[in-house]
């Protein structure tokens, strides 16, 4: 499957040396996309933290806090595969704009309700759950599109750097968003945090309106454009299933950062603002690691770098569950965040390099389901174990999951296919 080149991009340009992160950030196409996704992802953390704090204050239940994640990410589990089909048939930029508009509607309604009624006037957590579900529907449609559109924004030689930067937007947002959200909640209340989240969706829409991705060539006549084609490609590719299972493990292991942070803060005798600091420590560790992740992958290979990332996540979760001091909790989550970025960047890059363009949105939708669709069950398990046993036990149990993925990848080759054979060795689209 070839890609049309527009806007002066020629085959000669595609054969030029790869550009570094700095050059991509000032690129007229990738730069606005990076800024928009960074701002929008930061807004997600305002939403997540405010929703967790509000539900915990209203109920005092870790399980009901976990229900926030269950509702948000259940939509990803159900809808993302269908979004992938749409992404391989329709304009991905327009689909992204529509998805952002849906999430904006849910966020704006929640912000208005809390501003008018106050937290106590909500009558319980149901309004938070309802808005979270609407936001989750937009998110489910957006995530596969965000992943699938990246190769349309850069040259093939720049793909690895672009994927790493896209991962950085999520983790840098995790670093700055929760800390800012915690401070805002403490000073101005949850309504302000919900309002900021709503505004960030508008920023992403403006960024999308400003860029012109390279269009992909229409699928050949008779090509299978169904959900099944994506599943078949994953089944037939020799490493796609291990990649998705390892991605699922990372998604599962990242859930305690949201679900259990309020309980960790309470156990350490800290306020709601420290919940933001905990989540920010995870994102900060990931963001700082972004400057060395490519070097690590080149030195030890994709498989070993992925395994390293999984081990660091596991160690960080266990340390978080056993440390008696606040500083130790921050260090533990920074270590887990570093491992998360190393692992997820290696896995995403390995999959993106293999998948044919005509199946990209559908396959990346399955990647999204693996990363985020596991979160509802993970949130339920994490919250239930914390309530029935202890927060420490829940964190240790979550830390076991990445270790299983390390064993799974022991014989899997994630290193890049040769440039001239990457497309030819992949299973056919139809």
């Amino acid at each position: 499957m070839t890609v049309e080149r527009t806007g002066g991009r020629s085959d000669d340009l595609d054969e030029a040396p790869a550009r570094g992160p700095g050059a991509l950030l000032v690129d007229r196409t990738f730069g606005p996309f990076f800024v928009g996704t960074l701002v929008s992802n930061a807004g997600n953390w305002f939403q997540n933290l405010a929703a967790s704090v509000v539900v915990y204050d209203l109920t005092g239940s870790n399980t009901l806090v976990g229900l926030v994640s269950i509702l948000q990410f259940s939509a990803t589990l159900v809808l993302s595969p269908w979004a992938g089909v749409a992404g391989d048939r329709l304009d991905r930029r327009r689909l992204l704009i529509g998805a952002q508009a849906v999430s904006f509607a849910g966020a704006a309604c929640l912000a208005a309700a809390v501003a008018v009624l106050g937290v106590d006037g909500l009558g319980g957590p149901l309004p938070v759950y309802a808005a979270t579900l609407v936001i989750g529907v937009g998110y489910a449609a957006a995530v596969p599109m965000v992943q699938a559109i990246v190769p349309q924004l850069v040259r093939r030689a720049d793909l690895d750097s672009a994927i790493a930067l896209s991962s950085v937007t999520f983790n840098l947002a995790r670093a700055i968003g929760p800390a800012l959200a915690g401070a805002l909640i403490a000073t101005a209340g949850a309504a302000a945090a919900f309002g900021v989240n709503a505004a960030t969706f508008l920023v992403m829409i403006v960024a999308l309106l400003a860029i012109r991705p390279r269009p992909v060539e229409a699928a050949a006549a008779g090509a299978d454009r169904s959900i099944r084609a994506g599943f078949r490609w994953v089944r037939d590719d020799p490493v796609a299933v291990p990649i998705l299972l390892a991605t699922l493990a990372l998604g599962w292991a990242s859930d305690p950062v949201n679900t259990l942070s309020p309980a960790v803060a309470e156990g350490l005798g800290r306020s709601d603002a420290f919940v933001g600091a905990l989540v920010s420590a995870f994102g900060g560790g990931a963001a700082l690691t972004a400057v060395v992740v490519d070097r690590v992958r080149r030195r030890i290979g994709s498989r070993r770098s992925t395994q390293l990332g999984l081990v660091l996540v596991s160690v960080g979760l266990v340390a978080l569950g056993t440390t008696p001091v606040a500083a130790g909790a921050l260090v533990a989550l920074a270590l887990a965040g570093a491992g998360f970025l190393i692992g997820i960047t290696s896995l995403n890059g390995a999959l993106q390099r293999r998948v044919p363009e005509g199946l990209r949105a559908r396959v990346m939708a399955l990647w999204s389901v693996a990363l985020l669709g596991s979160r509802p069950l993970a949130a339920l398990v994490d919250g239930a174990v914390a309530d029935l046993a202890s927060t420490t036990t829940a964190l240790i149990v979550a830390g076991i999951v990445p270790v299983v993925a390390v064993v799974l990848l022991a014989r899997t080759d994630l290193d890049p296919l040769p440039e001239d054979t990457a497309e030819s060795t992949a299973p056919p689209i139809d």
Side-chain angles (χ1 to χ4, degrees), residues 129-212:
Y129 292 153
T132 299
L133 184 59
V134 174
I135 294 169
V137 169
Y139 194 68
V143 172
M145 244 48 66
V146 168
Q147 298 299 323
I149 204 172
V150 170
Q152 294 178 244
L153 306 179
V154 298
R155 297 176 291 117
R156 183 178 178 86
D158 298 326
L159 183 57
D160 282 345
S161 292
I163 290 171
L165 286 173
S166 294
S167 298
V168 166
T169 63
F170 181 83
N171 290 287
L172 184 57
R174 192 193 292 250
I176 62 179
L180 294 175
L184 184 62
I185 292 168
T187 58
F194 290 135
V196 168
N197 178 47
T200 62
F201 291 114
L202 298 178
V203 173
M204 182 62 173
I205 290 173
V206 171
L208 290 169
L209 291 172
I211 66 174
R212 291 294 181 269

Side-chain angles (χ1 to χ4, degrees), residues 194-261:
F194 290 135
V196 168
N197 178 47
T200 62
F201 291 114
L202 298 178
V203 173
M204 182 62 173
I205 290 173
V206 171
L208 290 169
L209 291 172
I211 66 174
R212 291 294 181 269
R214 294 186 296 185
V216 297
E217 191 174 273
D224 189 343
R225 302 174 73 178
S226 68
I227 291 178
R228 295 187 302 273
F231 281 101
R232 281 200 301 269
W233 185 88
V234 168
R235 179 198 64 194
D236 294 338
D237 186 86
V239 302
V241 171
I243 286 174
L244 293 180
L245 290 175
T247 300
L248 186 151
L250 278 174
W252 185 292
S254 68
D255 174 75
V257 182
N258 285 348
T259 300
L260 299 181
S261 284

